Amino acid sequence: MTTVTTRTVEYPADGLTMIGHLALPAGVDRRPAVLIGPEGTGLNDFQRRRADALAELGYVALAFDINGGRWFTDPEEMLAHTTPLLADPDRMRGIGHAALDVLRAEPRTDPDRIAGVGYGTGGAIVLELGRDGVDLRAIGTVNALTTGRPGEAARIRCPVWAGVGSEDPIMPPAQRDAFTAEMQAAGVDWRLVVYGGALHAFHHPPVDQTVLPGIGYHPRHAQRAWRDVVDLLAECLPVTE
C-alpha cells in the first residue's frame, strides 16, 4: 500500500476558522490534486478517509471544512447553518476558493491539474467553483443537484458527473430535471447516475445522531458511487508515474 502522509490544515473562510484534512501520496514530485467537499454535517473520520483513499491512488487530496471544525449532530442546527449557505452562491464560492487556495499552496500539488468532488453541501460548493469559471479538470458530486444563477453554468470548463438516489426526497425528480436542463443548456459535458432504491446520503454509513427523514445508507450503492468517482478522476485527471 502507498505510504500516505496526512496533516490538519487551518485556514479562514466564511468568517470561521476552517479545519481541513490534507493527505499526500508517497514521494516528493508534484501530483494531480482533488478538492473534496463534505456533507452539511461537516467533516468526520469517514470523510477524512476519502482524502486518504485518493492519496493512496496518487493524488494530493484536501477534505475541506464548511462548519469551522464542527460536526453537527442535531439536524435542525445543521439545517440552520446549511440552508442559508446553499441559498448564497457567493458564500459557497468563498468557502470553495479558500480551500482551493490551500490546496494550490501545497508544494506537492500540480496547480494545473485539480479536480473537485463533493457530497451534499460540499458538492454544491464544488459546482459553484465550476460556475465561477475555476479551471478544474473534473467535477464529481453525489446528492448535490443544485442549480446556479442563470447562465453561469456556461463557465464550467470540465466534465461534470453527478450521482443521486432514486428515492431521495431532498433531490426529487424535478430537481434532477432542473439540474440536467441547466447543464445541457450550458453545453456542459455532463452525466447523471441514478442509484435505484437509494435515499439521500446513501453513501455515508450510519452515525450516532438523529437523522432527517429520507436519509439512509445503501452500502452497495455507496461502493458503486465511490468507484464511479474514482473512474471519473482516472478519465479526466489520471495519475502518471
Side-chain angles (χ1 to χ4, degrees):
M1 182 178 293
T2 305
T3 302
V4 170
T5 304
T6 65
R7 69 173 185 268
T8 298
V9 289
E10 295 189 8
Y11 58 96
D14 200 37
L16 302 168
T17 298
M18 300 300 188
I19 304 174
H21 177 80
L22 183 69
L24 303 174
V28 296
D29 57 326
R30 284 193 166 187
R31 292 295 185 94
V34 184
L35 199 61
I36 310 171
E39 293 84 349
T41 44
L43 278 180
N44 65 2
D45 285 342
F46 174 76
Q47 301 182 72
R48 294 182 187 98
R49 284 196 295 271
R50 289 177 182 147
D52 299 350
L54 291 178
E56 288 176 2
L57 295 174
Y59 297 98
V60 175
L62 174 65
F64 66 86
D65 185 14
I66 60 174
N67 297 336
R70 292 195 61 190
W71 167 264
F72 289 115
T73 56
D74 179 353
E76 296 304 322
E77 190 177 15
M78 184 269 290
L79 287 174
H81 178 77
T82 57
T83 302
L85 175 61
L86 288 168
D88 191 335
D90 293 323
R91 274 184 69 197
M92 288 194 283
R93 292 176 186 187
I95 291 171
H97 276 289
L100 189 60
D101 288 346
V102 171
L103 185 58
R104 282 178 170 156
E106 165 54 47
R108 296 290 310 283
T109 295
D110 180 343
D112 297 322
R113 302 181 69 212
I114 297 176
V117 173
Y119 296 78
T121 302
I125 289 170
V126 171
L127 280 166
E128 281 305 319
L129 287 178
R131 294 185 182 108
D132 201 31
V134 172
D135 185 15
L136 299 172
R137 292 296 185 92
I139 293 173
T141 70
V142 182
N143 298 332
L145 301 181
T146 57
T147 51
R149 292 182 290 217
E152 291 189 340
R155 299 177 184 172
I156 296 174
R157 303 160 64 182
C158 64
V160 171
W161 176 93
V164 66
S166 70
E167 306 309 302
D168 183 345
I170 299 170
M171 297 284 160
Q175 184 73 17
R176 289 181 227 161
D177 292 345
F179 174 79
T180 58
E182 179 194 25
M183 294 295 112
Q184 185 65 21
V188 175
D189 175 3
W190 65 272
R191 283 171 283 175
L192 174 66
V193 176
V194 180
Y195 296 94
L199 296 168
H200 194 71
F202 69 87
H203 52 275
H204 199 300
V207 291
D208 184 20
Q209 68 183 91
T210 304
V211 297
L212 295 166
I215 288 178
Y217 182 47
H218 196 300
R220 196 160 57 246
H221 283 327
Q223 292 175 353
R224 289 168 173 162
W226 177 251
R227 285 198 301 267
D228 285 342
V229 166
V230 170
D231 288 346
L232 173 74
L233 296 174
E235 175 191 335
C236 301
L237 193 68
V239 176
T240 53
E241 297 298 337

